Amino acid sequence: EFDAFTTDGSVLFCKYCEAPVTASKKFQVQQHLKTSKHIRLEAVKSNSAQKEQQLLLACSSKSGPDRSQFNADLCKAFVSADIPLHKLNNKCLKSFLEQYTGKKVPDESTLRKNYVSQLFNDTMEIIRRKACGKKIWVSLDETTDVEQRCIVNLIFGVLGDETERGKYYLGFEKLKKVSQIMSGDAIIDETVQPLTMSDLLCMKHAPIVSCDVERVFSEYKAMLTDNRRGFNFENLRHHVIIKCNHNLNEHQGQKKSRNEHQGQKKSRNEHQGQKKSRNEHQGQKKSRNEHQGQKKSRNEHQGQKKSSNEHQGQKKSRNEHQGQKKSRNEHRGQKKSRNEHQGQKKSRNEHQ
């Protein structure tokens, strides 16, 4: 009979009445069990649990076409986006969806009774398949919600191969090593160098909490705002797991997309760098070709200049030869003229 209660060690909480119960004496708890409110709520929730179980069995025995894929997708979209299902009761929103989708929008109760639990089971099955047979890491943290109830949150992820673990979990391994050193289970070695003992003491209260855990806590508190405190524990569990798992997958997808984008950007930069290097190489080659062309042109010019000098030298040599020849002719003429003059002189002498 005491299965109707839960406790955090200090406060006894009735699951049916959803209220704390005074438990300083055993008879106080027994009196609460005999109250008309507790008996009525226990009967109502027991009947609803039986009906829900029968409905789940009936739904599981039905064939696929009896379940609307549109309703399932609509439920998944609303829960993943943290939109309360009762918003479907808004006439304007409902008419808008029916007008532009051509589908009949179901009532909020239909989705909650027939689709939320199935969506939860599908999500849990996906999580089980991802973690089956693989090594996982687990992170736990505790906080209080807006109702000042103490809750603990758990998040886990699948570890990759040895290369990925060495790449992504070095920070955790170092904190773990520091903790072992401070507890006397290990000694300082090269894995924590160049940390000094004073550095190790500063890490005594270093938090080892996943950012995803804190993000899920924020999601949990957002679901229990002042206008959304009608969740019972089971529905709250369904909504938290569906929504947070979807958001984590979406976050990981965005991170993967960013990494791929950065990889493509890096590849483009490398390609542009290679292209720039090729252009520079071609520019240097062109510059060398131009330099060789200029050198060849200078050599040709020098050859032409040398040829011209040789031609001028030959012309000068011919002119000198002609001058010498002319000088010889003049010398011969003068000699001839002297010989004639001597002949005339000789002839006058003979005449005398």
Side-chain angles (χ1 to χ4, degrees):
E1 62 181 356
F2 295 103
D3 293 339
F5 299 100
T6 59
T7 180
D8 59 357
S10 58
V11 178
L12 189 66
F13 193 82
C14 178
K15 293 190 292 185
Y16 296 130
C17 301
E18 295 186 358
V21 177
T22 303
S24 58
K25 300 291 184 180
K26 181 179 180 181
F27 77 90
Q28 294 175 329
V29 179
Q30 292 174 338
Q31 284 180 347
H32 176 78
L33 292 173
K34 295 177 182 179
T35 59
S36 59
K37 178 182 178 181
H38 179 85
I39 295 173
R40 178 173 54 82
L41 291 175
E42 182 180 8
V44 169
K45 294 194 176 183
S46 298
N47 292 334
S48 63
Q50 291 178 358
K51 289 180 180 179
E52 183 177 357
Q53 185 176 6
Q54 293 174 358
L55 182 61
L56 288 174
L57 292 174
C59 291
S60 61
S61 62
K62 287 182 179 180
S63 58
D66 291 331
R67 292 181 59 83
S68 170
Q69 186 61 40
F70 172 75
N71 292 354
D73 293 340
L74 181 65
C75 180
K76 181 178 180 180
F78 268 60
V79 175
S80 300
D82 194 23
I83 302 176
L85 294 178
H86 67 79
K87 296 292 185 181
L88 290 173
N89 296 332
N90 183 280
K91 293 182 179 179
C92 185
L93 176 61
K94 192 170 185 178
S95 62
F96 172 81
L97 293 175
E98 290 179 346
Q99 178 180 354
Y100 289 98
T101 61
K103 304 284 187 178
K104 180 173 178 57
V105 176
D107 293 333
E108 172 264 342
S109 59
T110 302
L111 296 183
R112 190 177 302 283
K113 292 177 182 178
N114 300 337
Y115 293 92
V116 172
S117 57
Q118 184 61 40
L119 183 58
F120 168 76
N121 293 333
D122 293 342
T123 304
M124 292 299 297
E125 184 61 29
I126 292 172
I127 294 174
R128 292 189 186 99
R129 284 202 305 267
K130 287 182 177 180
C132 181
K134 298 179 181 178
K135 294 182 179 181
I136 63 173
W137 59 267
V138 179
S139 181
L140 293 167
D141 201 1
E142 181 267 343
T143 188
T144 56
D145 60 14
V146 294
E147 296 284 355
Q148 299 304 311
R149 293 177 296 190
C150 294
I151 61 168
V152 63
N153 196 21
L154 179 146
I155 187 170
F156 77 94
V158 178
L159 291 172
D161 55 21
E162 294 294 335
T163 304
E164 292 178 347
R165 288 203 295 274
K167 182 177 180 182
Y168 295 108
Y169 300 102
L170 288 177
F172 174 77
E173 291 298 331
K174 184 169 287 190
L175 288 175
K176 183 179 177 182
K177 184 69 175 180
V178 170
S179 177
Q180 292 174 349
I181 292 173
M182 298 185 67
S183 62
D185 297 331
I187 60 174
I188 299 177
D189 54 19
E190 65 277 1
T191 59
V192 294
Q193 291 179 351
L195 297 176
T196 64
M197 183 56 69
S198 59
D199 295 330
L200 297 179
L201 292 175
C202 292
M203 300 175 69
K204 180 178 180 180
H205 301 290
I208 309 178
V209 178
S210 168
C211 293
D212 291 332
V213 172
E214 300 297 340
R215 188 179 296 112
V216 173
F217 275 135
S218 299
E219 300 288 349
Y220 178 86
K221 289 185 176 182
M223 287 184 177
L224 289 178
T225 53
D226 291 339
N227 60 343
R228 298 191 64 187
R229 298 191 184 184
F231 275 118
N232 58 36
F233 283 109
E234 190 64 19
N235 286 336
L236 181 60
R237 184 166 72 99
H238 290 176
H239 280 255
V240 168
I241 291 178
I242 294 169
K243 180 181 185 300
C244 296
N245 184 69
H246 173 79
N247 288 350
L248 288 176
N249 291 337
E250 191 177 56
H251 176 68
Q252 291 172 356
Q254 292 174 352
K255 187 176 180 181
K256 184 178 179 181
S257 178
R258 284 196 300 270
N259 291 337
E260 291 176 352
H261 179 69
Q262 290 176 355
Q264 293 174 354
K265 187 176 180 179
K266 184 178 179 181
S267 178
R268 285 197 300 270
N269 291 337
E270 290 177 353
H271 179 69
Q272 290 176 356
Q274 293 173 355
K275 188 176 180 181
K276 184 178 180 180
S277 178
R278 285 196 301 270
N279 291 336
E280 290 177 352
H281 179 69
Q282 291 176 356
Q284 292 173 355
K285 188 175 179 180
K286 185 178 179 181
S287 179
R288 285 196 300 270
N289 292 336
E290 291 177 352
H291 180 69
Q292 291 175 357
Q294 292 173 356
K295 188 176 180 180
K296 184 178 179 180
S297 177
R298 284 196 301 271
N299 292 336
E300 290 176 353
H301 180 68
Q302 290 175 357
Q304 292 174 356
K305 188 176 180 180
K306 184 178 179 181
S307 176
S308 176
N309 292 336
E310 289 176 353
H311 180 69
Q312 290 177 357
Q314 291 173 357
K315 186 176 181 181
K316 184 179 180 181
S317 178
R318 284 196 301 271
N319 291 335
E320 289 177 352
H321 180 69
Q322 290 175 359
Q324 291 173 358
K325 188 176 181 180
K326 184 178 179 180
S327 179
R328 282 196 301 271
N329 290 334
E330 289 177 353
H331 180 69
R332 287 174 185 173
Q334 291 174 359
K335 188 177 181 180
K336 185 178 180 182
S337 178
R338 282 196 301 272
N339 290 337
E340 289 177 354
H341 180 68
Q342 288 175 359
Q344 290 174 359
K345 187 177 180 180
K346 185 178 180 181
S347 177
R348 279 195 302 270
N349 291 335
E350 288 176 355
H351 181 69
Q352 288 175 357

